[in-house]
Amino acid sequence: MTFEEYLRALQGKTVAVIGIGVSNRPLIQLLCQRGVAVTACDRKSREALGAIGDQLEAMGARLRLGPDYLKDLTEDVIFRTPGMRPDLPELTAAVARGSLLTSEMEVFFEVCPCPKIAVTGSDGKTTTTTIIAELLKRAGRTVHLGGNIGHPLLAETGEMDPGDVAVLELSSFQLMTMTHSPHIAVVTNLAPNHLDVHRDFAEYIAAKENIFTHQTGEDIAVFNADNDLTAEEAARAIGRARLFSRRRELADGVFLRGEAVIARRGDQEREVLRTSDIRLPGVHNIENYLAAIAAVDGLVPDGVIRDFAREFGGVEHRIELIRTRRGVRWYNDSIASSPSRTIAGLNSFDRKVILIAGGKDKGISYESLGPVVNEHVKLLILCGATAGVIRRSAEQAPNYAGLEIVDVADYHQAVALADSRAGEGDVVILSPASTSFDRFANFMERGRVFKEIVNALPE
């Protein structure tokens, strides 16, 4: 089905779009422009919605707001927002009454006219997705970057050509009900995550696996050979499975041999680049490059990959250097919403750091974080709902030797304390190991607030 055919099929039908966030507003606008009867639903009050509500009503959308925004849904088609479980009682009741439940990303996969490359995993998704997209751009392709990385694509589908490429970051929430898979799928790794939303780890894994379970025999799936769960998934790939590894050589995939990144296919192998070419710090970023190279192998010349790796300084909020002040380097790693991500960040530095951590708990274990914090942190500053559990993980770890841990009320206090204690050559990093939803709309807002406070420090 083409995008135009899909829009024509909605004529005369009623549509509910749940969630008036950034990802759904272009969809609401497009549907209203095409004369579709749209109801925009959100938990926020009319007052909290503010000018956005005025704009939506001016477009022709009907608003259903407040605590009962999901009550008695009767629309023909319901678009759920990412992060909303599809089995909420209100949604299952609507489906039982005849409504079709879908999402922006599910429809995009149905109507996108060009090849799709998608990345999922517990860590490294955004950086790997960005590397893939930028490499393809430098190779001369027109790239549409979106998904969980923050840019909705469905409303732009009519502008896409068959020769373009859509590069997507997909979360477990987006994948839960997906019945289509991309032409090239990448699974960076799997570890317990988002257990505050998923029933258990098994459901989380099952959602992630939708990225490759609907592929055809002509498609490619890329898996992390160093992660037990993803290595086992490779045996269930529908199409061609390719692996990447930092620890061992592979028959078909991309791996590290000393300082050389090697791509091998059958009895043919070549050196793509050296780890010294990779500007991004940390072994986890070497893994991100291994995954990206496995995905674009044959699509992007090796010279393009080398040139890009030497220039690319990273993605905002991912071990992002904010400033160097009086010999102290300040980093924003707000993307680190899980212990495994914070562990990767701490392992990126060759010295002990001052760590600012804490946020909202999402039901996962912090036990693995404690030993790494004791090994890599000289001062631990905590705020947010997970401050206590992070403190316990450090104090109960076998290698705890009296690490100083201080609780503060907010980032203003955290930055002031870190600034007073840091000396020349020190590193201060925000790497929360928790989600942002206790105080912020998302990790981007959290990172921006932190950067503003750091940048406001006098010279």
Side-chain angles (χ1 to χ4, degrees), residues 3-14:
F3 187 45
E4 284 300 319
E5 288 172 341
Y6 180 79
L7 291 175
R8 285 197 295 270
L10 290 180
Q11 296 301 314
K13 294 185 177 181
T14 56

Side-chain angles (χ1 to χ4, degrees), residues 16 46 53 79 81 93 97 108 133 166 182 189 203 213 282 298 300 308 314 353 361 366 424 451:
R46 184 66 176 80
F79 284 82
T81 188
R97 288 191 291 266
F108 177 75
N189 50 54
E203 183 185 84
T213 53
V300 178
F308 174 78
V353 307
D361 194 348
Y366 283 78
E424 186 169 351
K451 290 197 294 183

Side-chain angles (χ1 to χ4, degrees), residues 73-78 91-101:
L73 293 168
T74 58
E75 285 77 9
D76 298 314
V77 180
I78 300 172
L91 298 182
T92 56
V95 171
R97 288 191 291 266
S99 296
L100 173 66
L101 181 64

Side-chain angles (χ1 to χ4, degrees), residues 45-73:
S45 67
R46 184 66 176 80
E47 181 180 8
L49 205 56
I52 294 171
D54 296 334
Q55 295 168 11
L56 294 177
E57 286 183 323
M59 295 175 193
R62 173 174 170 263
L63 301 183
R64 183 185 295 151
L65 307 173
D68 293 330
Y69 74 114
L70 295 180
K71 187 177 180 181
D72 298 327
L73 293 168

Side-chain angles (χ1 to χ4, degrees), residues 71-132:
K71 187 177 180 181
D72 298 327
L73 293 168
T74 58
E75 285 77 9
D76 298 314
V77 180
I78 300 172
F79 284 82
R80 69 178 178 92
T81 188
M84 175 175 284
R85 290 191 61 91
D87 56 1
L88 289 180
E90 297 90 341
L91 298 182
T92 56
V95 171
R97 288 191 291 266
S99 296
L100 173 66
L101 181 64
T102 188
S103 67
E104 186 261 352
M105 188 53 63
E106 287 175 81
V107 175
F108 177 75
F109 264 71
E110 291 181 29
V111 302
C112 176
C114 61
K116 296 175 287 292
I117 301 175
V119 180
T120 197
S122 299
D123 300 305
K125 294 187 300 296
T126 301
T127 299
T128 302
T129 304
T130 302
I131 292 171
I132 290 171

Side-chain angles (χ1 to χ4, degrees), residues 416-428:
L417 176 60
D419 182 48
S420 69
R421 301 290 293 277
E424 186 169 351
D426 275 341
V427 167
V428 181

Side-chain angles (χ1 to χ4, degrees), residues 407-430:
D407 291 300
V408 296
D410 54 35
Y411 285 167
H412 288 280
Q413 290 187 11
V415 170
L417 176 60
D419 182 48
S420 69
R421 301 290 293 277
E424 186 169 351
D426 275 341
V427 167
V428 181
I429 182 170
L430 168 70

Side-chain angles (χ1 to χ4, degrees), residues 283-284 338-349 351-355 357 366-380 390-401 403 405 429 431 433:
V283 295
H284 63 293
S338 66
S340 59
R341 184 73 195 215
T342 294
I343 289 170
L346 294 176
N347 285 329
S348 299
F349 297 96
R351 67 197 65 197
K352 287 196 171 186
V353 307
I354 296 173
L355 172 64
Y366 283 78
E367 184 178 356
S368 62
L369 182 62
V372 181
V373 165
N374 286 317
E375 182 179 353
H376 291 278
V377 175
K378 61 193 299 184
L379 170 63
L380 177 59
I390 295 174
R391 173 187 284 272
R392 287 192 295 275
S393 76
E395 292 178 341
Q396 295 175 5
N399 62 343
Y400 177 68
L403 170 69
I405 305 173
I429 182 170
S431 190

